[in-house]
Amino acid sequence: MNGRQKLLLSLSSGVLLSLGWTPLPFFPLLFIGFVPILWLDDACGNLKNSARCFLRYSYLALLIWNVLTTWWVGNTYQGTHDIGSVFGGVMANMANPLLMCIPLVAFHHTKKRLGHGWGYVSLPAYWIMFEFIHLRWDLTWPWLTLGNGLSKFPQVIQWYEYTGVFGGTLWILALNILVYRLLYTFLWGRNFQFTRKNLLAVIFLANVPVCISLIQYFTYSEKGLTKNVVIIQPNIDPYNMKFDESTLDAQLNILLRLSGENIDSSTDYLVWPETAIPQGILLNELYAEPVINKVKSAFSSFPELELITGINAYARYATDQTPTARYEPDGKFYWDAFNSAIQLDTSDSIPVYHKSKLVPGVEKMPYPQLFKFLEPLAINMGGVSGSLGEQKDRGVFFSHDKTGIAPLICYESIYGEYTCEYVKRGAGLLFVITNDGWWANSAGHKQHLDYARLRAIETRRDLAHCANTGTSAFINQRGDVYDATDWWVQAVIKSDLYVNTDQTFYVRFGDYIGRAAIILTLLLFVRIIIMRLSKRKNLLNES
């Protein structure tokens, strides 16, 4: 195979994976998107520098997929034009495909050493282990976890309540391998019986999970008592108004007006978006903050109402208590900034939750102990740039009747097992508060809403998705989106949500598929080491 043919395979893979990704409706393309990469693996396999050849062409395929699917990350510079924003957007789309090449190159080496059988077993193991790690380290960017790509069609992935997104990743990769093996046997003239077995395997694996899911989808009933929820989408321009101090009172008045016009005595929850109160709230003096007391006073005639809202929060310390603490030389104190959520009602208690899955390069400099000096390169998206503080454990907000709410802040809704921690701590509803206005009317906010469907299915929790602007909506326990708002408009939506208290298999056991992939990877490595030692021993004996 010549270079032009390899290039065509590389381009084909990138385009197929991009076209198969949400919000586009062509998800079956994901089941053949890796076929050209598997073909490239065989095409490069007999070359002297096979791994280098495979890396070069697979990187190009993954780069195309990343750029065509998440190009909007670079849109964060709109309205700011700072070098950190441009740098961060470019790096996200260049570095992530390079990381994705690690499991592919490991698969290439394994197949050469252990043969086709173990080689194809290793690909899902290595890829899922990579996704498992990518969900957990400081450079986390799991937006393109393969299982996320099926999120637009909850009808075919109801079994995520048992497997989480890694079940989707495994399904996609297994089908790609079987389709490629079918293509291989057909093109290279293997016997008919072998081709027939591959065809039956493809048909079985493509259809059985869908049939199981459809049965689940059409027989599932919402569980739990209902709570009336009102979502406010204020539509504040994040670039030109949101963090302009001269507009803070006007922003609050918009929220209070829209809320007052749409709540009544039957409203249980009122939801405002991420950083709805953008002025800095000093946590050390939270109960004396004028803006907090103004909001509490505005809703004092609704004793049953709970307001969930995002705030910009600060904490002051006498000593350097955290890796993210900044020193204020004028006041001679240390302080942390947080992207937080609070719950306000007529009681004297104000629970606070700090966002803890922070966006790398925007809200957190990876490994701040080592790279704090690079914080000036962080993407500036208003408010405080650089590393924010975070919270060790997931915080659940409880109402007067003990209903638990998971206050997921923006990016946190991408993480499945992370969301399960809220449920284990008593959350019966999921509230996602977000901004989603940073990337203009691109695929970004649409993908974010689609991914929230996965959390609803995995946990079987109703979900309220509240955006400053973007798309606000409700999602039921089957992952159906309803009452979705339009882009860049002020809007208010309300619905009765079901408070489920049951725990799904996935909530109880989390990412067990990812942990199994790690174990299988270790066993494969041990097998490779034993084989190499055995070969070395044989060579020594022969000499």
Side-chain angles (χ1 to χ4, degrees):
M1 182 178 289
N2 60 40
R4 184 175 297 178
Q5 291 170 320
K6 293 186 182 77
L7 182 61
L8 181 61
L9 287 173
S10 186
L11 294 173
S12 299
S13 180
V15 171
L16 286 170
L17 291 170
S18 303
L19 291 176
W21 206 259
T22 183
L24 297 176
F26 312 119
F27 78 93
L29 295 179
L30 295 177
F31 299 122
I32 59 173
F34 278 82
V35 168
I37 290 179
L38 295 172
W39 200 334
L40 281 167
D41 168 66
D42 276 337
C44 296
N46 294 324
L47 300 178
K48 183 178 181 180
N49 296 317
S50 63
R52 186 181 303 173
C53 170
F54 183 56
L55 172 62
R56 183 166 63 249
Y57 287 106
S58 59
Y59 175 76
L60 177 60
L62 297 174
L63 177 65
I64 293 169
W65 174 30
N66 275 258
V67 171
L68 292 181
T69 308
T70 61
W71 60 268
W72 46 265
V73 174
N75 241 21
T76 54
Y77 72 85
Q78 180 180 326
T80 58
H81 301 291
D82 67 291
I83 189 171
S85 300
V86 177
F87 176 79
V90 171
M91 284 301 296
N93 280 308
M94 292 186 65
N96 198 54
L98 187 60
L99 292 172
M100 287 176 161
C101 283
I102 296 173
L104 290 181
V105 173
F107 148 72
H108 176 80
H109 282 295
T110 301
K111 189 157 79 73
K112 289 191 71 173
R113 285 166 172 76
L114 300 182
H116 285 65
W118 284 111
Y120 289 124
V121 168
S122 76
L123 177 56
Y126 296 161
W127 190 277
I128 292 173
M129 185 182 75
F130 159 74
E131 290 186 343
F132 182 88
I133 295 171
H134 213 17
L135 283 162
R136 288 163 172 81
W137 68 328
D138 274 13
L139 290 171
T140 179
W141 176 241
W143 205 266
L144 295 183
T145 297
L146 279 176
N148 289 347
L150 305 173
S151 58
K152 193 175 183 65
F153 296 91
Q155 299 88 346
V156 303
I157 52 170
Q158 292 296 301
W159 36 268
Y160 273 26
E161 70 167 298
Y162 298 100
T163 69
V165 292
F166 290 146
T169 296
L170 181 60
W171 188 30
I172 290 169
L173 289 175
L175 260 175
N176 271 277
I177 292 168
L178 287 176
V179 169
Y180 175 67
R181 296 304 298 167
L182 175 64
L183 181 66
Y184 183 89
T185 56
F186 177 77
L187 291 178
W188 278 272
R190 293 293 184 96
N191 65 66
F192 174 77
Q193 186 177 1
F194 195 74
T195 302
R196 180 171 171 270
K197 288 182 178 179
N198 276 278
L199 178 59
L200 292 174
V202 169
I203 293 172
F204 179 85
L205 189 58
N207 289 281
V208 170
V210 174
C211 292
I212 292 172
S213 182
L214 288 173
I215 292 171
Q216 289 181 281
Y217 181 83
F218 287 110
T219 59
Y220 185 83
S221 298
E222 295 273 273
K223 299 177 182 178
L225 301 175
T226 60
K227 293 289 181 180
N228 186 260
V229 180
V230 173
I231 288 176
I232 306 296
Q233 180 172 294
N235 195 45
I236 307 297
D237 186 338
Y239 290 109
N240 301 312
M241 184 177 180
K242 184 69 177 171
F243 298 99
D244 182 349
E245 292 186 3
S246 66
T247 70
L248 298 184
D249 288 339
Q251 292 182 47
L252 183 60
N253 289 335
I254 290 172
L255 289 162
L256 292 175
R257 175 180 59 80
L258 292 173
S259 301
E261 292 172 353
N262 291 277
I263 63 172
D264 54 38
S265 58
S266 68
T267 307
D268 296 297
Y269 284 96
L270 175 64
V271 191
W272 291 358
E274 179 185 17
T275 62
I277 303 176
Q279 53 262 65
I281 303 297
L282 184 60
L283 296 174
N284 307 71
E285 302 173 1
L286 177 61
Y287 293 88
E289 280 286 347
V291 66
I292 298 297
N293 290 320
K294 181 178 180 179
V295 173
K296 285 173 66 71
S297 177
F299 302 116
S300 60
S301 59
F302 299 95
E304 304 300 314
L305 180 69
E306 306 284 354
L307 168 64
I308 309 296
T309 181
I311 64 171
N312 271 332
Y314 299 86
R316 185 185 299 170
Y317 318 121
T319 59
D320 187 6
Q321 295 186 13
T322 68
T324 55
R326 302 160 169 82
Y327 182 65
E328 177 55 53
D330 293 337
K332 296 183 179 179
F333 60 83
Y334 293 87
W335 60 280
D336 257 326
F338 301 93
N339 185 350
S340 305
I342 59 173
Q343 177 175 280
L344 298 176
D345 52 31
T346 55
S347 73
D348 294 330
S349 175
I350 306 179
V352 181
Y353 170 70
H354 302 310
K355 181 180 181 183
S356 299
K357 280 294 185 182
L358 301 170
V359 183
V362 178
E363 297 173 313
K364 180 176 184 176
M365 180 55 61
Y367 303 104
Q369 300 92 331
L370 299 176
F371 302 117
K372 197 169 184 176
F373 69 94
L374 292 176
E375 284 190 353
L377 292 177
I379 298 175
N380 183 4
M381 293 174 66
V384 176
S385 61
S387 295
L388 302 183
E390 51 192 274
Q391 181 170 319
K392 180 181 178 182
D393 299 313
R394 308 292 62 75
V396 176
F397 294 161
F398 291 96
S399 67
H400 59 280
D401 66 355
K402 306 304 180 185
T403 299
I405 300 297
L408 293 145
I409 303 176
C410 189
Y411 189 60
E412 292 184 314
S413 65
I414 309 302
Y415 297 84
E417 189 175 79
Y418 182 90
T419 301
C420 291
E421 293 181 40
Y422 294 99
V423 176
K424 287 180 177 179
R425 291 173 179 268
L429 291 171
L430 306 181
F431 288 178
V432 178
I433 60 173
T434 184
N435 193 323
D436 281 357
W438 297 111
W439 303 287
N441 193 12
S442 65
H445 71 93
K446 300 171 187 175
Q447 291 167 352
H448 191 205
L449 177 63
D450 280 341
Y451 295 168
R453 296 170 181 250
L454 305 179
R455 308 292 84 81
I457 296 170
E458 289 167 347
T459 63
R460 294 301 185 188
R461 295 294 188 269
D462 279 19
L463 186 148
H465 188 91
C466 177
N468 166 49
T469 193
T471 304
S472 298
F474 295 107
I475 303 175
N476 65 23
Q477 293 168 18
R478 297 190 310 178
D480 300 315
V481 172
Y482 62 99
D483 292 344
T485 64
D486 293 328
W487 165 261
W488 208 262
V489 295
Q490 281 188 7
V492 180
I493 54 176
K494 61 178 70 177
S495 181
D496 288 330
L497 303 188
Y498 290 86
V499 183
N500 187 9
T501 57
D502 295 342
Q503 291 189 6
T504 64
F505 185 90
Y506 178 68
V507 167
R508 294 196 299 271
F509 297 101
D511 290 330
Y512 63 92
I513 293 178
R515 293 177 176 86
I518 292 174
I519 294 172
L520 181 55
T521 295
L522 293 175
L523 291 175
L524 287 167
F525 284 178
V526 168
R527 183 175 176 85
I528 291 172
I529 291 170
I530 291 173
M531 179 176 288
R532 295 190 68 175
L533 291 175
S534 177
K535 285 184 177 179
R536 183 177 297 178
K537 183 179 179 180
N538 290 337
L539 288 173
L540 289 173
N541 290 336
E542 290 175 2
S543 61

